[in-house]
Amino acid sequence: MKSAYFLPTTTLIGLLLLGPLSVRANPDWGLELQPPHAGYYSPSGEFQFEIPSSVPAQALARLALELDQIDVTAFVSSDGRNAVFTPPHPLEPGMHQLRVVEYAEDGSILERGIWEIEVRQSAAFREAGFNSNLGVTGRKPVGKRNLPDLETNWRLQGGVSLGGTLADADAQAAGTLELMNQEESEGGKLDLAGFHAQVLHAQGQADLGHHSLPLNNLLVQSFGRRGVSGAWRSADGRQALFGFAMRTEPITGFHHGLGVSDPGHRISGAWWQVTPLADPQRLALRVVYLSGEGDEGGDATIGGLHEASGDGAALVADSMLWNSRLRVRGEYATSRFDFDGTGGTLEGLRDRAFGLLTMLTSAPERTNGMTWNAGVELKEVGTYFHSLANPNLPSDRRLIRAFGTARWPSFSMSAIVGRETTNVDDLENIPRYCTDQLSWNGVYVPTLVRETPWYGQPQFSAWVGTTNIAQETNPAGPGFPEVDQLTRSYQLRAGFGYDWGGWSVDHTLSRFDDHSGLQADTETNSTTLATQIRIGERLSLGVSLARSAIEDRDTAMETENFTGTLDASAQLLPNRLNTYIRLSVNEDRATRGLQNARTATLSADLDWTMMQEQAGKPGLTASLSAVYNDLDDKLAMAASPSTYQIFLGLRLGWSVNR
Amino acid sequence: MPYPTRTLFVSALALAGLLIATRAGAQVVSLSGSVSPDTTVQFGSSTNKLLTWTVRTNTQPGSAVTSAQGQFRVTPAGAVLGTVGVPLSGTVNQAGDVLLLENLTVPSSIIQQAQQLGSSSFVYQRTFTDPTFATGTTQVTFSIQLPSLSVSGSTLGPAAASVTNIATASFAWRVESTLAGQAVRSTQGAFLLPNGQPLGTAGALLSGTTSPAPLSFSETLTVPQSIAIRAQRAGATQVIFRRQFELTNLGVIASDDIPLPLTSGIGGQFAIHRIQLRFEDGNSQRVLRRGQPLTAFADVRFSGTGVLQAQWQVALPSSTAGEPVFQPLLTLREPLIGGREVTLRLPDLPTHAPGLHLIRLRLIDPDGELTIPLLRYFVADGDAAAGMPRMALQLLEPQHLSRLSNDTYFRWHPVPGASVYQLEFYLLESAPAEPRAGPPLLNAGLLGSGQLPIQRLTGVMIPPGQEATVLSILARSHLRSGRPHLWRLLALDATGKVIAESPLREILVP
């Protein structure tokens, strides 16, 4: 490396000034970024800066360079007239920002140059990449016991993921496709596991396939399905319009195409968002509308799926005020929902929901070693408010809660206290429940002096939570006992980290008291001891021991589960011989001899790499795998014989990344 | 016999025959029958009855009145069900009456035949003849008394109908009959409003055979949300679940009602109604590289309050080519409170072995009737070292939750093969925590997974061979005073691949 006129990071201690740092533009001089020799910046290329002759030597010693806000000054060399930044590894194709600053003597930062650069893979495209990852495994049983139905033929399993990217200055297209062999359930056909294609333009975006909607509100929450969506953004970035049509239910496979052809299983909608003020953080408004039909439920729903339909609209306002210390978020939504679907006897029921969140964070200048935030949240969801794109939202709830977090060096804690009531629509013929919640958690990490002690880097945490449910009204009459339940939970955890891994132990106690006498009072105790050990580069071990017990305190009946697992991965011969072993033991017991069963399973794989997969060339691996399973159920009428199955296999792996 | 004598004898016989024929068409004066103690007979059992027959004739006292046999008929002129071959005879008294007593056994088969013909009664008929060959027929009528059937239903644990979600209810039925050995059944139950207006049907066939001891049935079924909503809209405070039981072929029915109070999810039985297993992208199938991190999620919708007992299990490639053998990954004992939806998370799925993996969530309690589809992922082959856990980069200082100051040194143990170290800082966005959030999850694997509300603010690239640094002014200028930040250190090779990473630590920026 040439003599470093750029100031090494380690010499900056004296210049480090805490508190607000000002950045000033100084027009008197600046560095010039030289154009790339090839006509474009390549991922492995260097960046050369021309330093004007008028720059004083003292100023050169105070220069620093950052790439995408990462300080890379240590990788800049200079001969006094030119400076060269040599990235320590290839840069990702795409837009990057380079910025040269000078540390002024008064502690401020003077910007001496800033550039938006495009790293391209070729002159034709900024990025043109393709990657595939193929795996095909053929296995043949060569040994078995007590498995009469196990076929002895070769069985093929496989999967492939394909991905591609094509990008240039103002447009980008990317796609992924995953295919899986479904032999064991569907006759061995290759089927579609998932796909997603995305096209980006300066002001537009389109998505096809499996993707999630970038919305989190009362109508749409974590909603990811197969479908299509599109977006348009105004040139100034202050307005955006989105539209989507997605399958109501999760689907896989080639059937259903894009997932939007069946109106009986489709959710469609649009939203418009605008930031009306100059500072977009001060106010962001969003209006959402959606309508859909489909199966209300999921993959596994008691009583089967049933058709439902509905629509809804929402208005969301989000604002950061007071130097971003105060956040205020309000939301109002309405829905109309046919709970028994089209053609049912129930008409579409309308209801509404709203939420208000305010949160304040501590003032930067008054921290004194402690920072905090606190807030209040109010949320009410009507009895019949429902959205197919947010099926997990509990309806008929009015929540008001306060929360706060405080942090000191080595210690942090947070607490929540809240009350939730039901029957928010004041219906005379359904009861009202009141749920009081309180939780607190704290984390303590002792400050260590320099070296890690023998017991490692400890971390301790505790959590306490109580929930009390009481019934306030009972319109069905005194013949029905009123709900009166109290749940208290406590958790303690200790973890210890080393450079070779770590270990942890935790215990959770949970007590449930039903004062109405309808349900049994229970006490649950769970203890887990886990460790992860890495020995050198070739051996990894993981051990976990867990015991949990539930005691019915009314009957003194206890059920107990013990699980122990050992995982081992080892490269016996680097890049040649690998093994994976998993041993697990599961025991279930109950008092009075009502349950007593133990299952032990040992699975092992031994892989011999005949041809190492590398640089786009396929690899071939021979494998020997075996599973031994033993079930000892002392209450079973007939003994369950232990089984094993042994397979010989050949595996083809082929990854291409261009 | 000489001819004249024979002729006289034949003539006398003919005259006698004529007389008999003439008398045979005559009727006795009156007939009647009575039964003691009553005329009812129990279906399903033979019954003894004492019958009293009274016959009045015009014949001389002391003469005999006889009846050869009795007959069971549906009606006096109806089909014959059976005969009793015991003859009856008596002597006419001074008043011209004959009193005959008969100890009759009514076979259960006769009662059954009559009932099967749709009749609730039948007759026992006798024809009497006096010495003058006058005849008369009379009968007694028996009423068939069918067996009784009684049903009582109750809930097993709390039960309710929820207007906000599907509810589960368990019922116990106790069925008693006075007649043992009879088939009894209930095809299905019905949801009703308290005024009897039907709302829907539910439940499967319940059947059995009566015995001296009461029959017991139990069932667990779902109460659809739409049923509860319709009841609520009709102004009811409860939904009735009715089961009608029937003694098969007897038409004997009995029913009982179980009221279910309306609720909105919190009350009622603890039950799991829906479980959706998914990966982070919402899909249930994935193809991935060896060593690629993968997390499974289970969205669980439940009603009531209780402790969920379940176990995440995996079938590794060593068995999925044959008979899948599932091994435990994580046993859950999760208190679920107040009827809502929770998301269970299973991090760090095994991706070190190439091949097909199957993931399932085995419900232990409540077990319910859910059949939960499997998650499937295929780990394609690749670099065997990628299957090893990523090397931990051991940090020396500053400690977790330290306060950034002028002399805060970031120090670490060197990593062999590292071409560059990258110190990264993230802004931890403040957000209201969930009530059961528990201790903070400071897991570097959460970066980029969307699990933490964070964004990378800045960082420093450090050459290999250097094992400590302070934060440059330039990097420091990007941090937000008074806001919590997370930081970590990565070691990268010459291709930019991460070969070691430290855990996330939080630092306070004054």
Side-chain angles (χ1 to χ4, degrees):
Chain A
M1 191 176 286
K2 299 174 184 177
S3 61
Y5 279 85
F6 277 66
L7 196 61
T9 306
T10 51
T11 66
L12 291 173
I13 303 171
L15 293 171
L16 184 64
L17 298 174
L18 298 176
L21 293 165
S22 61
V23 178
R24 293 185 281 132
N26 192 321
D28 57 357
W29 58 268
L31 272 63
E32 290 294 329
L33 178 63
Q34 299 300 303
H37 297 304
Y40 61 91
Y41 293 106
S42 66
S44 302
E46 296 179 336
F47 297 87
Q48 290 195 2
F49 302 87
E50 182 182 333
I51 303 171
S53 57
S54 58
V55 178
Q58 302 93 316
L60 287 180
R62 296 196 297 264
L63 292 180
L65 175 69
E66 68 176 14
L67 170 70
D68 299 332
Q69 300 196 163
I70 302 284
D71 189 336
V72 294
T73 309
F75 296 88
V76 178
S77 59
S78 175
D79 59 4
R81 293 301 93 200
N82 289 286
V84 179
F85 166 49
T86 307
H89 56 73
L91 301 181
E92 291 286 324
M95 297 306 296
H96 295 272
Q97 186 189 68
L98 281 170
R99 182 166 170 254
V100 174
V101 301
E102 178 192 354
Y103 298 121
E105 292 180 354
D106 62 359
S108 62
I109 293 177
L110 304 173
E111 197 166 82
R112 295 299 185 183
I114 183 167
W115 302 271
E116 297 292 332
I117 58 163
E118 184 185 46
V119 174
R120 302 176 67 91
Q121 285 187 320
S122 67
F125 292 103
R126 183 177 78 197
E127 186 176 0
F130 169 78
N131 63 77
S132 71
N133 196 21
L134 168 72
V136 178
T137 301
R139 280 193 168 96
K140 177 181 173 58
V142 293
K144 62 177 183 178
R145 188 171 80 181
N146 296 322
L147 292 170
D149 297 331
L150 182 62
E151 294 182 10
T152 55
N153 301 325
W154 280 90
R155 296 187 70 177
L156 278 180
Q157 295 175 324
V160 60
S161 64
L162 305 170
T165 304
L166 201 60
D168 210 3
D170 56 355
Q172 177 176 323
T176 60
L177 179 74
E178 294 183 356
L179 303 168
M180 266 180 75
N181 170 268
Q182 309 281 347
E183 181 178 359
E184 85 283 357
S185 63
E186 296 177 25
K189 69 176 182 179
L190 196 66
D191 208 351
L192 182 65
F195 71 98
H196 180 210
Q198 185 180 63
V199 178
L200 293 170
H201 193 263
Q203 290 180 250
Q205 175 178 335
D207 288 86
L208 302 119
H210 297 88
H211 64 289
S212 296
L213 296 179
L215 272 183
N216 276 312
N217 55 51
L218 292 166
L219 279 182
V220 184
Q221 185 92 32
S222 303
F223 190 68
R225 298 285 191 272
R226 188 188 295 186
V228 298
S229 68
W232 169 86
R233 294 176 183 83
S234 63
D236 60 4
R238 293 175 60 173
Q239 290 191 66
L241 188 62
F242 297 80
F244 69 91
M246 305 188 90
R247 182 83 179 184
T248 308
E249 312 84 15
I251 51 173
T252 58
F254 284 112
H255 54 294
H256 303 307
L258 290 174
V260 297
S261 57
D262 184 351
H265 297 273
R266 185 176 64 207
I267 299 176
S268 307
W271 71 93
W272 172 63
Q273 67 183 39
V274 59
T275 51
L277 305 179
D279 181 356
Q281 282 206 320
R282 285 197 168 272
L283 182 61
L285 296 172
R286 181 174 286 167
V287 180
V288 186
Y289 172 80
L290 61 82
S291 175
E293 291 183 40
D295 291 334
E296 170 66 358
D299 292 338
T301 303
I302 284 227
L305 303 173
H306 69 273
E307 300 287 319
S309 64
D311 51 46
L315 172 65
V316 185
D318 207 342
S319 178
M320 296 290 283
L321 304 169
W322 203 12
N323 295 325
S324 298
R325 288 184 57 204
L326 177 65
R327 184 187 183 193
V328 180
R329 187 180 193 274
E331 183 175 3
Y332 184 84
T334 64
S335 73
R336 184 197 59 81
F337 202 77
D338 283 318
F339 286 90
D340 55 356
T342 308
T345 56
L346 277 174
E347 75 277 24
L349 297 179
R350 295 184 181 278
D351 216 325
R352 53 95 186 91
F354 64 87
L356 179 65
L357 170 72
T358 61
M359 188 167 62
L360 182 66
T361 58
S362 55
E365 64 276 13
R366 296 181 183 172
T367 55
N368 294 325
M370 189 268 266
T371 61
W372 55 267
N373 68 55
V376 176
E377 183 181 18
L378 172 67
K379 186 159 75 174
E380 181 172 311
V381 182
T383 306
Y384 295 127
F385 181 87
H386 197 78
S387 170
L388 281 171
N390 188 9
N392 304 342
L393 179 71
S395 53
D396 197 25
R397 298 284 199 275
R398 178 186 293 127
L399 169 71
I400 180 166
R401 64 174 175 171
F403 55 88
T405 301
R407 293 180 169 84
W408 294 267
S410 296
F411 181 67
S412 70
M413 68 175 194
S414 61
I416 299 172
V417 58
R419 166 166 288 194
E420 189 179 77
T421 53
T422 65
N423 194 5
V424 300
D425 292 344
D426 293 324
L427 302 173
E428 292 181 352
N429 52 346
I430 63 172
R432 171 168 291 133
Y433 302 94
C434 178
T435 303
D436 290 321
Q437 300 171 329
L438 173 65
S439 80
W440 176 92
N441 74 65
V443 180
Y444 173 59
V445 183
T447 300
L448 304 178
V449 180
R450 302 298 180 190
E451 297 298 327
T452 304
W454 63 268
Y455 52 83
Q457 167 65 61
Q459 173 171 311
F460 304 99
S461 62
W463 174 74
V464 178
T466 69
T467 304
N468 186 74
I469 303 177
Q471 188 167 342
E472 292 187 338
T473 63
N474 190 4
F480 297 95
E482 296 185 356
V483 173
D484 185 3
Q485 299 169 338
L486 174 64
T487 304
R488 291 167 289 178
S489 298
Y490 314 88
Q491 185 183 71
L492 290 172
R493 183 180 185 279
F496 303 88
Y498 304 84
D499 53 1
W500 47 260
W503 66 281
S504 65
V505 59
D506 65 70
H507 181 81
T508 305
L509 165 66
S510 187
R511 287 174 68 93
F512 172 71
D513 294 282
D514 182 20
H515 302 301
S516 67
L518 285 172
Q519 288 180 256
D521 296 342
T522 61
E523 179 175 307
T524 305
N525 281 279
S526 301
T527 306
T528 303
L529 175 67
T531 183
Q532 187 72 37
I533 303 168
R534 184 183 175 106
I535 303 171
E537 297 299 305
R538 291 163 52 181
L539 178 61
S540 171
L541 290 173
V543 178
S544 172
L545 302 172
R547 176 193 177 273
S548 60
I550 301 179
E551 179 191 3
D552 183 329
R553 291 186 285 128
D554 293 346
T555 62
M557 172 88 177
E558 185 179 78
T559 57
E560 181 185 21
N561 173 269
F562 170 79
T563 305
T565 59
L566 165 68
D567 283 284
S569 300
Q571 292 188 60
L572 303 178
L573 296 173
N575 299 322
R576 185 61 69 183
L577 188 62
N578 303 304
T579 184
Y580 316 98
I581 297 172
R582 181 179 175 85
L583 170 66
S584 62
V585 177
N586 186 81
E587 283 190 19
D588 290 296
R589 283 194 291 261
T591 50
R592 302 172 198 163
L594 294 178
Q595 193 177 20
N596 191 350
R598 181 183 58 80
T599 305
T601 306
L602 174 66
S603 66
D605 291 87
L606 188 65
D607 287 356
W608 175 261
T609 304
M610 299 187 295
M611 192 165 66
Q612 177 73 25
E613 179 187 345
Q614 54 185 348
K617 294 179 180 176
L620 192 63
T621 303
S623 68
L624 177 67
S625 58
V627 184
Y628 170 80
N629 191 53
D630 179 60
L631 169 62
D632 180 15
D633 189 343
K634 297 205 165 22
L635 302 184
M637 301 293 288
S640 300
S642 58
T643 65
Y644 67 72
Q645 42 192 324
I646 304 171
F647 300 89
L648 269 180
L650 272 179
R651 194 169 64 242
L652 174 73
W654 192 11
S655 297
V656 177
N657 197 346
R658 297 186 190 282
Chain B
M1 183 179 290
Y3 179 71
T5 305
R6 191 174 60 186
T7 303
L8 182 61
F9 179 73
V10 170
S11 300
L13 280 178
L15 180 61
L18 182 62
L19 286 171
I20 290 170
T22 303
R23 293 298 295 176
Q27 296 290 313
V28 295
V29 174
S30 67
L31 291 164
S32 67
S34 64
V35 184
S36 175
D38 56 44
T39 60
T40 60
V41 289
Q42 295 286 334
F43 182 91
S45 61
S46 299
T47 307
N48 289 325
K49 295 290 183 181
L50 181 62
L51 273 58
T52 303
W53 302 102
T54 305
V55 182
R56 172 163 292 181
T57 73
N58 292 325
T59 57
Q60 294 298 316
S63 59
V65 172
T66 62
S67 173
Q69 64 179 21
Q71 287 184 326
F72 291 103
R73 292 174 182 268
V74 177
T75 59
V80 175
L81 301 172
T83 61
V84 175
V86 178
L88 286 180
S89 65
T91 306
V92 179
N93 62 16
Q94 290 298 325
D97 295 336
V98 179
L99 198 62
L100 299 113
L101 296 176
E102 180 179 3
N103 194 4
L104 176 67
T105 298
V106 183
S108 63
S109 59
I110 296 295
I111 303 171
Q112 191 170 350
Q113 284 184 65
Q115 201 280 333
Q116 285 175 349
L117 290 171
S119 177
S120 60
S121 63
F122 60 94
V123 299
Y124 179 63
Q125 195 174 68
R126 271 196 179 267
T127 299
F128 294 91
T129 304
D130 66 9
T132 64
F133 300 104
T135 64
T137 301
T138 189
Q139 61 273 323
V140 293
T141 301
F142 290 101
S143 300
I144 302 173
Q145 189 175 54
L146 293 172
S148 69
L149 183 68
S150 66
V151 177
S152 65
S154 61
T155 58
L156 295 171
S162 173
V163 297
T164 56
N165 51 22
I166 298 169
T168 297
S170 296
F171 303 120
W173 302 99
R174 180 185 169 98
V175 181
E176 290 183 274
S177 174
T178 53
L179 180 61
Q182 281 296 306
V184 64
R185 68 174 185 174
S186 171
T187 51
Q188 63 179 168
F191 291 110
L192 312 166
L193 287 174
N195 63 12
Q197 182 182 333
L199 294 172
T201 58
L205 172 71
L206 302 179
S207 62
T209 304
T210 59
S211 66
L215 264 179
S216 293
F217 300 99
S218 63
E219 62 179 336
T220 297
L221 48 87
T222 57
V223 187
Q225 182 183 3
S226 58
I227 295 281
I229 292 176
R230 286 162 63 191
Q232 190 279 320
R233 305 282 289 175
T237 61
Q238 55 188 239
V239 170
I240 304 297
F241 183 65
R242 175 178 293 168
R243 270 274 185 190
Q244 180 172 286
F245 286 84
E246 173 190 23
L247 287 177
T248 311
N249 300 326
L250 296 184
V252 179
I253 59 174
S255 65
D256 195 22
D257 294 346
I258 299 177
L260 304 173
L262 292 184
T263 181
S264 55
I266 286 187
Q269 180 172 326
F270 175 54
I272 307 296
H273 301 301
R274 170 186 179 245
I275 292 185
Q276 182 183 340
L277 301 189
R278 60 179 172 86
F279 296 115
E280 189 178 328
D281 61 358
N283 231 340
S284 60
Q285 300 183 0
R286 288 295 311 274
V287 178
L288 61 161
R289 300 183 310 276
R290 200 194 299 199
Q292 189 174 335
L294 187 65
T295 299
F297 299 85
D299 297 321
V300 180
R301 187 181 295 177
F302 65 98
S303 63
T305 297
V307 179
L308 170 68
Q309 299 181 56
Q311 192 173 66
W312 286 102
Q313 297 180 332
V314 62
L316 296 170
S318 50
S319 74
T320 53
E323 296 284 331
V325 176
F326 285 89
Q327 303 184 60
L329 279 173
L330 182 68
T331 301
L332 298 174
R333 297 288 187 266
E334 187 79 16
L336 302 183
I337 302 169
R340 54 179 67 240
E341 173 138 347
V342 296
T343 296
L344 309 174
R345 186 168 170 273
L346 176 65
D348 305 327
L349 292 175
T351 57
H352 53 270
L356 179 66
H357 297 65
L358 306 176
I359 297 289
R360 74 179 182 187
L361 182 66
R362 187 174 75 89
L363 286 182
I364 301 168
D365 186 50
D367 52 358
E369 58 187 49
L370 288 175
T371 302
I372 307 171
L374 302 173
L375 288 177
R376 311 141 71 84
Y377 62 96
F378 189 91
V379 178
D381 218 335
D383 183 7
M388 307 288 284
R390 188 177 283 174
M391 197 187 306
L393 200 161
Q394 184 71 10
L395 299 174
L396 298 177
E397 60 177 337
Q399 299 307 317
H400 180 56
L401 288 169
S402 294
R403 186 179 185 215
L404 185 64
S405 65
N406 290 5
D407 57 355
T408 299
Y409 261 90
F410 293 84
R411 295 200 311 124
W412 59 93
H413 277 311
V415 176
S419 292
V420 61
Y421 296 103
Q422 187 161 307
L423 180 64
E424 296 183 335
F425 288 81
Y426 296 82
L427 179 65
L428 180 61
E429 298 284 1
S430 298
E434 287 305 307
R436 295 207 67 254
L441 296 168
L442 294 179
N443 180 342
L446 296 177
L447 285 177
S449 69
Q451 301 299 305
L452 283 177
I454 55 177
Q455 56 168 308
R456 192 179 76 181
L457 287 181
T458 186
V460 181
M461 283 191 185
I462 304 136
Q466 195 172 321
E467 298 167 23
T469 188
V470 293
L471 195 60
S472 67
I473 295 175
L474 187 53
R476 168 69 179 81
S477 68
H478 294 293
L479 302 182
R480 312 275 173 85
S481 292
R483 302 282 294 277
H485 293 73
L486 298 174
W487 67 277
R488 69 168 176 175
L489 190 71
L490 302 176
L492 295 84
D493 66 11
T495 66
K497 182 180 157 191
V498 177
I499 57 175
E501 66 178 359
S502 76
L504 279 169
R505 288 185 178 179
E506 191 171 336
I507 193 164
L508 308 175
V509 178

